[in-house]
Amino acid sequence: MLAPAQAARAQQRYSQQRGGRARRATGNVRARPLFGDAARLLLTLLYQRQVCSMNVLADLLEVTATCIGDLVKETRDILEDHRHDPGVAPVRFTTCDALLAFADSDLRPARATVIEQLSHPALTGLTRRELHDLTARLAARQSAQAERLTYQRRGGLRQPGTRGGVFHQKISNSERILLALLYHRRLCTLDVLADALGGVSRSAVGNAIRETLPLLREADRVPAPAPARYRTAADLFAAGATSDTATS
């Protein structure tokens, strides 16, 4: 689907590098690009989803970080034109060896398992489909909110020529909705949620919930407070597991 747009961007890039229209010439006037369309899209998605940094991708493929940066910038613009949001991955790697080891192991990220457990209908008060629909419905508002907060922190518009980077976000947008929902239902404290998520501080969880609660309260059909309150992450996980056992 993106191939025509990628080809158009490539022609634009060639024209800018030439400084004008192409001239007639014999032989191969244009060498084959180092990465094809599919590879450029794949590398951009890995970076956009915060799986790893550009330096890790560069080390993995034995190219310069500048090479990765150029193709990411161009392909990211195409993704944004098509309004495609790849989301944030539940796992991140700081070295290419760690990334390859994970790919070879075929293990599921622990974070994904935790989120699935916390998304249990017994805890959220919603079916998994209803939770998915709520998350999708609030996605646009979250993006607008993030842009507004970034504007406030910058103190103005982004300067011309600067690149909008992908920053390390410990809690993804979908996770923010889930955490805010659990907290809204008064299932547990911020400390319990931070402990359940793992690798995230209480303040990070609190900030995510504080920013998301107003959006959640504007949504329709948000479930009422839960009848039970859990003092530890283990108790929270056990509640979902107990509900599964009772159902079976």
Side-chain angles (χ1 to χ4, degrees), residues 30 36 42-43 150 183 187 232 236:
R30 185 182 304 147
L42 172 61
L43 294 174
T150 301
Y183 190 75
L187 281 163
T232 67
L236 192 61

Side-chain angles (χ1 to χ4, degrees), residues 188-218:
C188 56
T189 64
L190 295 177
D191 290 313
V192 171
L193 289 175
D195 187 33
L197 210 56
V200 180
S201 67
R202 180 186 186 279
S203 60
V205 171
N207 290 337
I209 290 176
R210 185 182 67 255
E211 294 171 359
T212 310
L213 273 178
L215 304 180
L216 189 65
R217 288 169 179 150
E218 293 173 3

Side-chain angles (χ1 to χ4, degrees), residues 72-126:
V72 164
K73 182 180 184 303
E74 184 175 290
T75 310
R76 179 173 55 194
D77 290 343
I78 297 173
L79 288 172
E80 290 177 351
D81 289 344
H82 284 74
R83 301 185 182 279
H84 179 77
D85 180 10
V88 179
V91 61
R92 298 169 180 83
F93 304 96
T94 57
T95 67
C96 58
D97 290 339
L99 176 57
L100 290 175
F102 173 80
D104 290 339
S105 68
D106 197 28
L107 293 175
R108 190 181 187 194
R111 181 74 159 259
T113 302
V114 168
I115 294 302
E116 181 176 350
Q117 291 174 319
L118 293 179
S119 301
H120 196 285
L123 301 179
T124 63
L126 300 172

Side-chain angles (χ1 to χ4, degrees), residues 50-235:
Q50 302 179 27
V51 172
C52 60
S53 67
M54 290 184 185
N55 288 333
V56 171
L57 292 174
D59 289 343
L60 181 66
L61 300 171
E62 298 182 348
V63 297
T64 65
T66 301
C67 173
I68 300 296
D70 289 342
L71 70 86
V72 164
K73 182 180 184 303
E74 184 175 290
T75 310
R76 179 173 55 194
D77 290 343
I78 297 173
L79 288 172
E80 290 177 351
D81 289 344
H82 284 74
R83 301 185 182 279
H84 179 77
D85 180 10
V88 179
V91 61
R92 298 169 180 83
F93 304 96
T94 57
T95 67
C96 58
D97 290 339
L99 176 57
L100 290 175
F102 173 80
D104 290 339
S105 68
D106 197 28
L107 293 175
R108 190 181 187 194
R111 181 74 159 259
T113 302
V114 168
I115 294 302
E116 181 176 350
Q117 291 174 319
L118 293 179
S119 301
H120 196 285
L123 301 179
T124 63
L126 300 172
T127 66
R128 295 188 185 276
R129 182 64 195 179
E130 288 172 334
L131 178 60
H132 177 272
D133 291 344
L134 175 63
T135 301
R137 195 161 66 246
L138 295 180
R141 298 181 189 177
Q142 283 182 298
S143 297
Q145 182 190 62
E147 182 61 29
R148 184 172 63 254
L149 292 174
T150 301
Y151 177 90
Q152 292 172 349
R153 290 165 187 154
R154 259 195 324 255
L157 297 172
R158 182 178 291 118
Q159 295 299 314
T162 59
R163 185 179 66 192
V166 176
F167 300 98
H168 184 77
Q169 180 174 285
K170 291 185 177 180
I171 306 177
S172 68
N173 283 344
S174 59
E175 291 171 347
R176 287 167 176 256
I177 296 295
L178 174 61
L179 294 175
L181 182 59
L182 297 177
Y183 190 75
H184 173 78
R185 300 198 72 212
R186 303 174 186 171
L187 281 163
C188 56
T189 64
L190 295 177
D191 290 313
V192 171
L193 289 175
D195 187 33
L197 210 56
V200 180
S201 67
R202 180 186 186 279
S203 60
V205 171
N207 290 337
I209 290 176
R210 185 182 67 255
E211 294 171 359
T212 310
L213 273 178
L215 304 180
L216 189 65
R217 288 169 179 150
E218 293 173 3
D220 298 329
R221 298 170 61 185
V222 176
R229 189 171 175 85
Y230 305 99
R231 297 183 179 276
T232 67
D235 292 340

